[in-house]
Amino acid sequence: MTNTTYAGTHVVEVGPRDGLQNERTALSVETKVDFITRAVDAGMRRIEAVSFVNPKRVPQMAGAEEVMAALPRRDDVDYIGLVLNERGLERALAAGVDEVNVVVVCSDEFSQRNQGCDVEEGLARWKRIAAESRAAGMFTTVTFAVSFGCPFSGEMPAERVIDLMARVAESGPDEIAIADTIGVGVPAQVRALHAGARRVAPDVALRWHFHNTRNTGYANALTAFDLGDCALDASIGGFGGCPFAPNATGNIATEDLNYALQRSGVDTGIDGGAIADAATWIGAQLDSPVPALFGRAGPFPG
């Protein structure tokens, strides 16, 4: 499904990347491939499978090339690779990803800690990566990290994020992802950022990335859904977090988000039971309790 233009609201599985990167246990290549295969078998069709970051900084993401080489390749499944710089893009293209996700951080301090540069250099990197990615014919997402608040500098004004989106939109991303990296956002912020994105990048697809640190993640996701077609990131089991964001907890869980969307009339294509089983399985591999609720409550019989 390489370089597809996505239609309708759908779920992007980020468990193999964002879900694993902050866990104490570093999984083997074989276990990562098994995890992704279980997601595919449960109906996931866009999966953020790997991250092309320095494994010395994020050891949980080591073996990206080996993971990509071992994954089941299907015409109806796209694998996304996260990249932070030109070297990451070079690795991603060589590994055969279907899409790349490039991160631009909205605060200087978090950008320095996460990417080793300030926001202006992050924007310059994006511009260079976007040009190379476009030349390679690659579907490219730009993610705005800490769009709702920064763990170091605090509140993130919507106007700043919207200004950064306007500057990035000049380079022609296929998709803009707005990320609540530390889980501080509320629906009013979702509405403000959505309105701004539609004003400065009206023709660019929107994607949202929510963490559930303060139990607002699902409210935010359903608000984004109500505002129009979009992609919604989620992690099997609700695992996740950022190694450079203190006290940030997991992503919204794929099984819980899928339940809410399906009950709201969205044909997600996801098997709720199979995704809950995958959550239980990955929890055992990580020797960590599953944060999500659906697997414990079970499907609603009505």
Side-chain angles (χ1 to χ4, degrees):
M1 200 165 64
T2 305
N3 300 329
T4 297
T5 299
Y6 299 100
T9 294
H10 61 281
V11 181
V12 179
E13 176 56 49
V14 299
R17 198 276 301 173
D18 204 18
L20 300 182
Q21 70 175 5
N22 206 38
E23 291 296 315
R24 292 187 304 272
T25 302
L27 301 180
S28 68
V29 167
E30 292 76 17
T31 303
K32 292 176 185 177
V33 171
D34 194 353
F35 183 30
I36 295 167
T37 301
R38 289 168 186 261
V40 172
D41 290 344
M44 303 306 306
R45 294 298 176 260
R46 287 184 81 190
I47 301 173
E48 198 157 280
V50 290
S51 177
F52 295 95
V53 297
N54 188 335
K56 292 181 180 179
R57 286 176 58 81
V58 189
Q60 297 89 337
M61 293 291 98
E65 284 85 355
E66 291 82 358
V67 170
M68 285 301 305
L71 287 177
R73 305 310 295 252
R74 295 172 36 158
D75 291 341
D76 62 344
V77 175
D78 280 345
Y79 296 121
I80 306 167
L82 185 81
V83 304
L84 302 183
N85 51 40
E86 291 95 325
R87 174 57 181 152
L89 177 63
E90 180 182 318
R91 291 176 59 199
L93 295 176
V97 300
D98 300 302
E99 307 178 31
V100 293
N101 182 9
V102 184
V103 178
V104 170
V105 182
C106 296
S107 76
D108 283 318
E109 186 166 358
F110 194 88
S111 187
Q112 288 285 3
R113 291 174 184 248
N114 191 63
Q115 295 178 226
C117 69
D118 63 14
V119 174
E120 287 302 317
E121 173 55 25
L123 289 168
R125 286 182 184 178
W126 153 254
K127 189 173 182 179
R128 296 191 297 267
I129 292 170
E132 293 178 29
S133 184
R134 186 184 304 109
M138 182 65 59
F139 186 99
T140 306
T141 299
V142 57
T143 291
F144 291 93
V146 297
S147 292
F148 293 76
C150 172
F152 309 110
S153 56
E155 293 289 348
M156 185 59 59
E159 294 77 12
R160 174 171 174 78
V161 182
I162 294 164
D163 176 66
L164 293 174
M165 285 193 279
R167 296 173 65 183
V168 161
E170 296 173 358
S171 300
D174 295 295
E175 181 177 65
I176 286 175
I178 304 172
D180 185 9
T181 308
I182 58 172
V184 295
V186 296
Q189 290 176 284
V190 176
R191 289 190 286 270
L193 290 172
H194 179 274
R198 295 295 64 154
R199 184 172 71 251
V200 301
D203 299 321
V204 181
L206 283 184
R207 178 171 157 190
W208 300 87
H209 181 96
F210 297 113
H211 286 244
N212 204 41
T213 311
R214 291 163 179 83
N215 284 327
T216 57
Y218 298 99
N220 291 336
L222 291 174
T223 299
F225 160 67
D226 282 340
L227 291 169
D229 288 344
C230 61
L232 294 167
D233 287 1
S235 169
I236 291 173
F239 291 100
C242 176
F244 308 104
N247 302 317
T249 58
N251 297 269
I252 58 174
T254 307
E255 54 272 34
D256 291 347
L257 176 63
N258 180 60
Y259 173 82
L261 290 176
Q262 288 188 338
R263 294 274 290 168
S264 300
V266 179
D267 181 8
T268 64
I270 301 169
D271 183 329
I275 215 74
D277 289 345
T280 301
W281 178 86
I282 194 62
Q285 307 311 304
L286 295 168
D287 192 24
S288 180
V290 176
L293 298 177
F294 178 87
R296 295 200 295 274
F300 180 55

